[in-house]
Amino acid sequence: MADVVWVVRHGERQDTVDPDWDSTAERVHDPPLTELGRWAAWRVGRRFVESEQSFDAVYASPFLRAVETAGEICRELGAEFRLEPGLGEHRNPEWFDAEPEILPREHLAGRFETVRLDHEPHVIPTFPETHAEAIARVGETTRRLVAENNGAVLLVGHGLTIGGVIDGLVGSTEGVEAPLCGLTRLVSDAEGWQLDCSGDTAHLDQ
C-alpha cells in the first residue's frame, strides 16, 4: 500500500483567458493549458526533481489540461503516467449539458510519449453527478490506487480532485486548498492518513 500521496491541480487553462473560446473550440469543455499553465506545471516538475522526490506511480485525469500538466511534470522526472477517469472533473449539470467531450485515451497516448495505457480505469464517472457524489467518486478511486501501489503516488487532476483525495483518505475536506499547480501532500502513519500540506505554491515564486 502507498504511504505518501501527492496531489496537483492542473495549470491555467486556455478558456479562462480566451474570450472567444466557446465559439472556436472543437471541444468546449476540454481546453489545453496556456503558456503560463505549462510553465507552472514545469515548475512543479522542477520542484520534485530539486527535492529528489520520486514516485512509484503517477495518475492523471484524462481531461487535456490535466494530461498536459502531468506531461510537463513527468518529462522533468523522467517518469510515465497513466490515465484514470475517476480523478476527472465534476460532472456538474450547471457547467455541462451532457457528458463533456474529451480526447480518446489512445489519441492522448499518441500525443504524449509519457502516457501509458496499461491501466484499466477503476471508476468511470457518470453524468450528472452532485458535488457529494463527485467527491465520493474521487475518494473511492484514490483508495483503490493507494491499495495497488507502494511508496509515493502522484495524482494530477482538478480542484475537485484535491478535495476528493483528501476526503477519501482523511475523511474530511477540512484544510483543503486548491490553487492552480498547487501541491497537496498526505502521509500515512500508525494513526492513519494525515494531511501534511495543501495548496503549496512556493515553487511558483521563482
Side-chain angles (χ1 to χ4, degrees):
M1 179 177 291
D3 54 12
V4 179
V5 172
W6 290 83
V7 199
V8 177
R9 186 181 180 185
H10 62 77
E12 181 183 74
R13 43 193 280 183
Q14 186 66 39
D15 59 338
T16 63
V17 300
D18 182 355
D20 298 322
W21 176 260
D22 286 358
S23 62
T24 60
E26 293 183 14
R27 298 177 314 284
V28 175
H29 301 301
D30 193 30
L33 297 178
T34 64
E35 183 176 349
L36 176 61
R38 288 190 292 274
W39 173 84
W42 170 76
R43 280 301 309 153
V44 173
R46 289 308 307 160
R47 176 167 174 177
F48 286 142
V49 169
E50 290 162 5
S51 63
E52 299 184 350
Q53 173 65 57
S54 61
F55 297 97
D56 296 276
V58 183
Y59 298 89
S61 157
F63 282 77
L64 184 55
R65 53 194 178 273
V67 175
E68 288 189 336
T69 300
E72 292 288 345
I73 295 170
C74 285
R75 273 193 292 274
E76 290 304 305
L77 290 170
E80 296 176 311
F81 67 100
R82 296 167 173 84
L83 303 173
E84 174 50 65
L87 300 174
E89 185 64 275
H90 178 194
R91 269 63 171 182
N92 186 340
E94 294 183 4
W95 300 347
F96 310 121
D97 295 326
E99 174 68 20
E101 181 184 359
I102 60 176
L103 290 168
R105 62 200 303 262
E106 292 77 14
H107 180 103
L108 292 170
R111 182 171 169 182
F112 298 92
E113 61 183 14
T114 50
V115 171
R116 293 187 62 178
L117 294 180
D118 60 346
H119 168 71
E120 289 299 319
H122 283 306
V123 179
I124 303 296
T126 58
F127 178 88
E129 61 183 356
T130 66
H131 184 262
E133 289 170 339
I135 287 288
R137 178 251 298 168
V138 174
E140 174 63 21
T141 301
T142 301
R143 289 190 294 272
R144 293 188 185 190
L145 294 175
V146 164
E148 72 180 21
N149 288 285
N150 296 311
V153 173
L154 171 62
L155 309 178
V156 181
H158 312 266
L160 171 90
T161 310
I162 310 301
V165 169
I166 295 173
D167 186 72
L169 295 180
V170 178
S172 168
T173 57
E174 183 177 356
V176 171
E177 298 288 344
L180 297 175
C181 280
L183 303 184
T184 290
R185 182 173 184 264
L186 301 98
V187 296
S188 178
D189 57 26
E191 298 181 0
W193 284 95
Q194 311 294 329
L195 178 60
D196 181 57
C197 68
S198 186
D200 182 357
T201 57
H203 47 288
L204 303 182
D205 295 333
Q206 302 180 25

